[in-house]
Amino acid sequence: MPYADIAVRREHARVWSAENVDRIKARHHQELLAEPELHRQRFRAQDLRRKFGITVEEYDAMLAVQNYVCGMCGRPEKVRRNGRVLGLSVDHDHVTGEIRELLCVRCNQALGVVEAYGCSAAEYLGNGPIMIKRGVSTDPTSGEGGL
């Protein structure tokens, strides 16, 4: 049934989906069993569009520009799930939503922790090594040797 108003159409779809949850789950499960690769591709496309507003083609273009490696460490993804190497994660600014680059799981998680706790990794790393090894000072100005 055609709708002149998109808001009415969306509301109808929302209500229908809420009333037919079991039916939708059963259909998705049948699709998954029948064609798992097609189902995976559809989910990937929906996920990229919903979370980041990009298409699979745009993701693949970003991947090619980065030579299929992480934008932070420069290495390919190695983390596996269900026997597959994961794709690179879409790194984005959580405030503006702006996409930065594609990152491996490790770099993406590390960056997320740094951002969550409000510290600057560059500032932290820029302080240089400040370590204590068995009570020996590593401060070069102290005159007590070092490492």
Side-chain angles (χ1 to χ4, degrees):
M1 80 178 90
Y3 292 95
D5 185 0
I6 192 74
V8 173
R9 178 175 165 235
R10 284 186 179 146
E11 179 62 17
H12 180 267
R14 187 190 64 74
V15 170
W16 186 90
S17 296
E19 293 172 352
N20 293 282
V21 171
D22 292 335
R23 185 176 175 182
I24 293 168
K25 284 182 180 180
R27 188 186 79 224
H28 284 198
H29 186 69
Q30 287 174 346
E31 288 174 0
L32 174 62
L33 294 176
E35 298 185 61
E37 185 61 26
L38 179 62
H39 190 298
R40 189 184 71 79
Q41 289 172 359
R42 283 183 183 163
F43 179 79
R44 178 179 178 225
Q46 290 171 354
D47 199 43
L48 287 171
R49 174 64 69 195
R50 181 176 40 88
K51 288 182 178 177
F52 310 109
I54 63 173
T55 64
V56 172
E57 292 77 18
E58 289 169 322
Y59 175 91
D60 290 343
M62 290 174 64
L63 195 58
V65 166
Q66 288 183 211
N67 293 319
Y68 304 91
V69 296
C70 173
M72 186 179 267
C73 69
R75 291 182 275 198
E77 181 62 80
K78 293 181 181 176
V79 175
R80 292 179 170 268
R81 185 175 296 142
N82 298 329
R84 291 179 181 259
V85 175
L86 297 178
L88 293 175
S89 302
V90 179
D91 177 39
H92 65 288
D93 186 310
H94 287 238
V95 175
T96 66
E98 183 178 331
I99 295 174
R100 294 184 278 236
E101 288 190 284
L102 303 177
L103 303 179
C104 67
V105 169
R106 289 187 177 117
C107 288
N108 194 39
Q109 289 175 345
L111 186 60
V113 168
V114 169
E115 286 181 338
Y117 291 100
C119 59
S120 167
E123 182 181 309
Y124 171 76
L125 293 173
N127 288 333
I130 302 172
M131 300 177 0
I132 297 173
K133 186 173 181 181
R134 298 183 190 186
V136 177
S137 171
T138 60
D139 182 6
T141 62
S142 70
E144 296 181 12
L147 292 178

